[in-house]
Amino acid sequence: MMNKKKIICILVMIACFILIIYRPRQLTLTIGVFAGSNWDVPNGDCYKIIDQAIERYEKEYPMVQIEYESGILKEDYSEWLSAKYLKGEEPDVFMILGEDFNTLSALGALKNLDSLIQKDQQFHIEDYYASVLYSGQYYNHQYALPYESNPTLMFVNQTLLKKEHIHLPDNDWTLDDFYTICQQVTKDTNNDGQIDQYGCYNYDWLDSVYSHKVNLFDENGEFCYLNQKDVKNAISFVQKIYNLNQGYTVTSQDFDMGKVAFAPMSFAEYRTYKPYPYRVKKYSQFEWDCIQMPGADENNSSEVSSLLMGISSRTSHIQEAWEFLKLLTYDTQTQKTLFQYSQGISSLKTVIQSDDVESLLNSDILEDTQVNLDLLNDVMENAMSQSQFRKYNSAIVTMNNQINQMIQNNEDLDLSLNSLQNEINEYLRE
Amino acid sequence: MKYSYQQVLSILRHSLSILNFVIILFYSMLILMTTQYIVQIQYAREFLDRITHLPQHPLVTFLGSISLYAVLIFVIYNRNTTKVSYKMNVFYSFLEVLIGFLLIYFLYMSYNGVLFLIFCDSIFNLKQEKYSKGLLGVLIIVYIISSYDVFSIFVPMTNMFEYFQIYGSQVNGVLMIITSCLEMLNIILFIAFMIVYLADEMRQNQYISEELDMVNQVNKELQNYAAITEKIGENKERKRLAREIHDTLGHALTGIAAGVDACIAMIDQNPTATKQQLQVISKVVRQGITDVRNSLNKLRPGALEEHGFKEALERMIAEFSSVSDLTIELDYQLEDIDLEKTDEDIIFRIIQESITNALRHGHATEVKINMHYDKNFLHLKIKDNGIGCDDVHFGFGLTQMKERLAMINGEVHFDGHQGFLTEVTLPRKERDKHD
């Protein structure tokens, strides 16, 4: 009697369980996005692309409803996402800030996308530029896909160069050209005994390292290679540039007033400040444009930063999340709207190389500009990314501090780099 | 009021259950509340940097560990209230270990003291040493594996310690003191349980050995009593024999002696009267023979006296079977043979002795008896499946068997390999043969 009752009980429970799992239902996919631009430029249409994508997605998959929490600022986003993770309520698909990617991957918080990529016949990983794809990899596994990329360009003050009778450099210019021009423009224009016109602003050692195409760390983040010839060359180049100013540190005010010939500038800033209305507000006293960063040789290379998107490793709707992730990062239509409503560019070769994007890009820029899709394609092809590992961010911060000190104090690089390398290696091994 | 060992044990077990509940509640609440606290003070991002693996949903941890503990307690108490078979008991123990391990896993391997509770319960229910030793081994292995330091080598997981460190060093210190006190108390309770349990075990052993001593004493007395009754019986039998001899043989021989004396005196004077007298004596002699035979009959085994040979055998076999777990097969093929009473007696005794030996020395469970005849001989085979013996040692029983058989020209052969085989051959007497 007892046994019969028990068996019936168990059967009912199993049936309920199956029903709960397989019940036809409206499923809700949550996504995590932040307001504003990833690159700290003003952006009024931050949710437009997402909203359009959601609309298209919900039309295609009527059973899925997508929700997001609006109004999270970029500076709060990291904390917000971490808190959600701790509470176990993280969104299924979400944006990943550069500084969070390593930590989240190391914790196993992100879904390893390798198998999804392999299974999906319509998805071709080669469509992405290799370097931006690399920034979403952690120990050779793809954990995130680039949603939006932002290459670094070189701002050129055309008015200043014209005044000094210097031609606008070509896109394949080298570090030597860069140095020569800096040398030429650095001078005292009002004869008060102090230089008041400068070669460049904000060009730091990492820019130089990217130009030299150096990998600072090994693939697993267990060693750093600071004490090598290329790193030394890169840093001594920055030291040379710095020394041109005779110890004076160029400020943003100098730059705004048009006293500086060059400055690294992200594409997002270019996109924001070049067209109306911001062109009236900023850098309005002089003509300017952007070109590629100078290279150590003819193959210019530079840094490209990307806003990544990934899937939570704990999501229960893997396929739906993957489809939505694809819609945001892989869909040509969505990626094209980036040029309309955002300041970054797509990471897809097909989008960058398509014709209708060209018109989108330059529709609101009145003047002639060097920046076109060919240039962007070039930059993206030759971009460099550093390997990602958990201690990357903190290692870079330490290196940054010490190397800036070396540059400012004109330290002997051999010795200082060697001791810094030992220090960093020790930290990485901990 | 004095408690019995069993009462103390169950009190200790209840307290262990309650204490473990408190500890598990403490840990799971700590996770739940610390998560809230981290989110509140906006420390989540830093916290993620400090930990090595993403924690589970805090509510899953909380509800999961509490409900697993509830299941564990249910199993423990259900097992105690219902009488379960031995195999089920072992199964229950392993089920408890499994649930316990899952519970420990849910709490990020930070607290494995619940295994003590499981050990107490299992040792309480699994009294037999064979399994409790195995269980002890399993538990020690699980205990070692389930510590965070060991387990996190194989499976990366959140370190509970990080949750403590969120609070300043002062609160952290207090929390550490609370946890170590609770865990210490758990261990103390466990040790107390084990001490009481072992004391109880020792007490029971002592009790059993006392009982055994008493049984031995009684056994000895019984043996003495049996010896005495045997002696008495022997005496009675002697007296009876003496009386019998006196009454029959004595009487007849006296009469014969007197009659013969009279004949000696008379034979010359009156041969006719002497002849008559001798006839009387002859009658007396015959009467004497009849009397002696009657007396001998009285000495025969009771069973043979009352029944035929075969029935007597069957009866004896049935008696043996009923008092022991011996299976005896009798294959009797002497239906159409008339045996002499003496032969019957001897064969009966031999079978009786063989079965007794099979039971007493061979510890057999099966005895096969086969009796058949051919032209010249009767054959008797008694085979048991006991331990047998390599060399047959002739004790009183076997010697007597041999001697008895020698009286009727029989032969016996013993074989102690693969059980014990007794083989008897008896020459057939002319008058037994029908053909």
PDB file of all heavy atoms in Angstrom, chain A residues 387-401:
ATOM      1  N   SER A 387      47.981  40.187 -25.300  1.00  0.00           N
ATOM      2  CA  SER A 387      47.303  38.991 -24.783  1.00  0.00           C
ATOM      3  C   SER A 387      46.580  39.337 -23.481  1.00  0.00           C
ATOM      4  O   SER A 387      47.004  40.200 -22.729  1.00  0.00           O
ATOM      5  CB  SER A 387      48.292  37.864 -24.544  1.00  0.00           C
ATOM      6  OG  SER A 387      49.574  38.340 -24.309  1.00  0.00           O
ATOM      7  N   GLN A 388      45.480  38.635 -23.269  1.00  0.00           N
ATOM      8  CA  GLN A 388      44.648  38.931 -22.114  1.00  0.00           C
ATOM      9  C   GLN A 388      44.831  37.872 -21.029  1.00  0.00           C
ATOM     10  O   GLN A 388      44.846  36.689 -21.308  1.00  0.00           O
ATOM     11  CB  GLN A 388      43.174  38.972 -22.526  1.00  0.00           C
ATOM     12  CG  GLN A 388      42.863  40.033 -23.555  1.00  0.00           C
ATOM     13  CD  GLN A 388      43.045  41.426 -23.011  1.00  0.00           C
ATOM     14  OE1 GLN A 388      42.533  41.762 -21.957  1.00  0.00           O
ATOM     15  NE2 GLN A 388      43.799  42.247 -23.720  1.00  0.00           N
ATOM     16  N   PHE A 389      45.010  38.335 -19.823  1.00  0.00           N
ATOM     17  CA  PHE A 389      45.078  37.426 -18.678  1.00  0.00           C
ATOM     18  C   PHE A 389      44.638  38.211 -17.460  1.00  0.00           C
ATOM     19  O   PHE A 389      44.496  39.443 -17.512  1.00  0.00           O
ATOM     20  CB  PHE A 389      46.490  36.856 -18.504  1.00  0.00           C
ATOM     21  CG  PHE A 389      47.573  37.888 -18.532  1.00  0.00           C
ATOM     22  CD1 PHE A 389      48.020  38.458 -17.359  1.00  0.00           C
ATOM     23  CD2 PHE A 389      48.111  38.319 -19.728  1.00  0.00           C
ATOM     24  CE1 PHE A 389      49.001  39.424 -17.380  1.00  0.00           C
ATOM     25  CE2 PHE A 389      49.098  39.289 -19.756  1.00  0.00           C
ATOM     26  CZ  PHE A 389      49.547  39.850 -18.575  1.00  0.00           C
ATOM     27  N   ARG A 390      44.466  37.503 -16.348  1.00  0.00           N
ATOM     28  CA  ARG A 390      43.794  38.135 -15.226  1.00  0.00           C
ATOM     29  C   ARG A 390      44.532  39.349 -14.669  1.00  0.00           C
ATOM     30  O   ARG A 390      43.937  40.331 -14.274  1.00  0.00           O
ATOM     31  CB  ARG A 390      43.593  37.106 -14.110  1.00  0.00           C
ATOM     32  CG  ARG A 390      42.746  37.685 -12.996  1.00  0.00           C
ATOM     33  CD  ARG A 390      42.138  36.658 -12.118  1.00  0.00           C
ATOM     34  NE  ARG A 390      41.059  37.301 -11.363  1.00  0.00           N
ATOM     35  CZ  ARG A 390      40.399  36.738 -10.403  1.00  0.00           C
ATOM     36  NH1 ARG A 390      40.664  35.509 -10.084  1.00  0.00           N
ATOM     37  NH2 ARG A 390      39.441  37.373  -9.780  1.00  0.00           N
ATOM     38  N   LYS A 391      45.864  39.259 -14.614  1.00  0.00           N
ATOM     39  CA  LYS A 391      46.597  40.333 -13.952  1.00  0.00           C
ATOM     40  C   LYS A 391      47.021  41.425 -14.932  1.00  0.00           C
ATOM     41  O   LYS A 391      47.829  42.281 -14.579  1.00  0.00           O
ATOM     42  CB  LYS A 391      47.829  39.740 -13.267  1.00  0.00           C
ATOM     43  CG  LYS A 391      47.468  38.888 -12.072  1.00  0.00           C
ATOM     44  CD  LYS A 391      48.682  38.178 -11.531  1.00  0.00           C
ATOM     45  CE  LYS A 391      48.349  37.428 -10.261  1.00  0.00           C
ATOM     46  NZ  LYS A 391      49.464  36.572  -9.874  1.00  0.00           N
ATOM     47  N   TYR A 392      46.492  41.356 -16.171  1.00  0.00           N
ATOM     48  CA  TYR A 392      46.936  42.283 -17.201  1.00  0.00           C
ATOM     49  C   TYR A 392      46.766  43.733 -16.756  1.00  0.00           C
ATOM     50  O   TYR A 392      47.705  44.525 -16.818  1.00  0.00           O
ATOM     51  CB  TYR A 392      46.153  42.026 -18.490  1.00  0.00           C
ATOM     52  CG  TYR A 392      46.489  42.990 -19.613  1.00  0.00           C
ATOM     53  CD1 TYR A 392      47.621  42.805 -20.380  1.00  0.00           C
ATOM     54  CD2 TYR A 392      45.673  44.085 -19.879  1.00  0.00           C
ATOM     55  CE1 TYR A 392      47.942  43.692 -21.392  1.00  0.00           C
ATOM     56  CE2 TYR A 392      45.989  44.977 -20.885  1.00  0.00           C
ATOM     57  CZ  TYR A 392      47.115  44.775 -21.645  1.00  0.00           C
ATOM     58  OH  TYR A 392      47.440  45.650 -22.644  1.00  0.00           O
ATOM     59  N   ASN A 393      45.556  44.068 -16.274  1.00  0.00           N
ATOM     60  CA  ASN A 393      45.274  45.464 -15.974  1.00  0.00           C
ATOM     61  C   ASN A 393      46.208  46.007 -14.907  1.00  0.00           C
ATOM     62  O   ASN A 393      46.790  47.076 -15.059  1.00  0.00           O
ATOM     63  CB  ASN A 393      43.820  45.625 -15.530  1.00  0.00           C
ATOM     64  CG  ASN A 393      42.863  45.252 -16.647  1.00  0.00           C
ATOM     65  OD1 ASN A 393      43.189  45.421 -17.815  1.00  0.00           O
ATOM     66  ND2 ASN A 393      41.715  44.718 -16.291  1.00  0.00           N
ATOM     67  N   SER A 394      46.364  45.251 -13.816  1.00  0.00           N
ATOM     68  CA  SER A 394      47.198  45.768 -12.737  1.00  0.00           C
ATOM     69  C   SER A 394      48.659  45.805 -13.163  1.00  0.00           C
ATOM     70  O   SER A 394      49.397  46.722 -12.774  1.00  0.00           O
ATOM     71  CB  SER A 394      47.020  44.930 -11.477  1.00  0.00           C
ATOM     72  OG  SER A 394      46.909  43.583 -11.807  1.00  0.00           O
ATOM     73  N   ALA A 395      49.085  44.840 -13.993  1.00  0.00           N
ATOM     74  CA  ALA A 395      50.470  44.845 -14.456  1.00  0.00           C
ATOM     75  C   ALA A 395      50.727  46.086 -15.306  1.00  0.00           C
ATOM     76  O   ALA A 395      51.750  46.753 -15.171  1.00  0.00           O
ATOM     77  CB  ALA A 395      50.763  43.580 -15.252  1.00  0.00           C
ATOM     78  N   ILE A 396      49.770  46.387 -16.175  1.00  0.00           N
ATOM     79  CA  ILE A 396      49.930  47.547 -17.055  1.00  0.00           C
ATOM     80  C   ILE A 396      49.988  48.845 -16.243  1.00  0.00           C
ATOM     81  O   ILE A 396      50.778  49.745 -16.529  1.00  0.00           O
ATOM     82  CB  ILE A 396      48.782  47.590 -18.098  1.00  0.00           C
ATOM     83  CG1 ILE A 396      49.066  46.609 -19.227  1.00  0.00           C
ATOM     84  CG2 ILE A 396      48.587  48.981 -18.640  1.00  0.00           C
ATOM     85  CD1 ILE A 396      50.192  47.008 -20.156  1.00  0.00           C
ATOM     86  N   VAL A 397      49.173  48.918 -15.182  1.00  0.00           N
ATOM     87  CA  VAL A 397      49.163  50.127 -14.360  1.00  0.00           C
ATOM     88  C   VAL A 397      50.542  50.332 -13.733  1.00  0.00           C
ATOM     89  O   VAL A 397      51.120  51.431 -13.785  1.00  0.00           O
ATOM     90  CB  VAL A 397      48.068  50.039 -13.268  1.00  0.00           C
ATOM     91  CG1 VAL A 397      48.255  51.142 -12.238  1.00  0.00           C
ATOM     92  CG2 VAL A 397      46.698  50.149 -13.905  1.00  0.00           C
ATOM     93  N   THR A 398      51.094  49.260 -13.165  1.00  0.00           N
ATOM     94  CA  THR A 398      52.430  49.363 -12.561  1.00  0.00           C
ATOM     95  C   THR A 398      53.464  49.781 -13.600  1.00  0.00           C
ATOM     96  O   THR A 398      54.295  50.665 -13.371  1.00  0.00           O
ATOM     97  CB  THR A 398      52.842  47.991 -11.996  1.00  0.00           C
ATOM     98  OG1 THR A 398      51.748  47.430 -11.295  1.00  0.00           O
ATOM     99  CG2 THR A 398      54.031  48.120 -11.075  1.00  0.00           C
ATOM    100  N   MET A 399      53.418  49.116 -14.758  1.00  0.00           N
ATOM    101  CA  MET A 399      54.380  49.419 -15.802  1.00  0.00           C
ATOM    102  C   MET A 399      54.250  50.870 -16.228  1.00  0.00           C
ATOM    103  O   MET A 399      55.253  51.569 -16.407  1.00  0.00           O
ATOM    104  CB  MET A 399      54.139  48.513 -17.019  1.00  0.00           C
ATOM    105  CG  MET A 399      54.696  47.121 -16.854  1.00  0.00           C
ATOM    106  SD  MET A 399      53.866  46.002 -17.937  1.00  0.00           S
ATOM    107  CE  MET A 399      55.069  45.739 -19.159  1.00  0.00           C
ATOM    108  N   ASN A 400      53.021  51.307 -16.402  1.00  0.00           N
ATOM    109  CA  ASN A 400      52.758  52.665 -16.839  1.00  0.00           C
ATOM    110  C   ASN A 400      53.415  53.680 -15.906  1.00  0.00           C
ATOM    111  O   ASN A 400      54.131  54.576 -16.334  1.00  0.00           O
ATOM    112  CB  ASN A 400      51.243  52.875 -16.894  1.00  0.00           C
ATOM    113  CG  ASN A 400      50.872  53.904 -17.937  1.00  0.00           C
ATOM    114  OD1 ASN A 400      51.717  54.253 -18.768  1.00  0.00           O
ATOM    115  ND2 ASN A 400      49.663  54.392 -17.896  1.00  0.00           N
ATOM    116  N   ASN A 401      53.189  53.501 -14.604  1.00  0.00           N
ATOM    117  CA  ASN A 401      53.760  54.432 -13.624  1.00  0.00           C
ATOM    118  C   ASN A 401      55.272  54.475 -13.726  1.00  0.00           C
ATOM    119  O   ASN A 401      55.874  55.544 -13.816  1.00  0.00           O
ATOM    120  CB  ASN A 401      53.377  53.994 -12.204  1.00  0.00           C
ATOM    121  CG  ASN A 401      51.936  54.342 -11.919  1.00  0.00           C
ATOM    122  OD1 ASN A 401      51.383  55.223 -12.567  1.00  0.00           O
ATOM    123  ND2 ASN A 401      51.334  53.636 -10.976  1.00  0.00           N
TER     124      ASN A 401
END
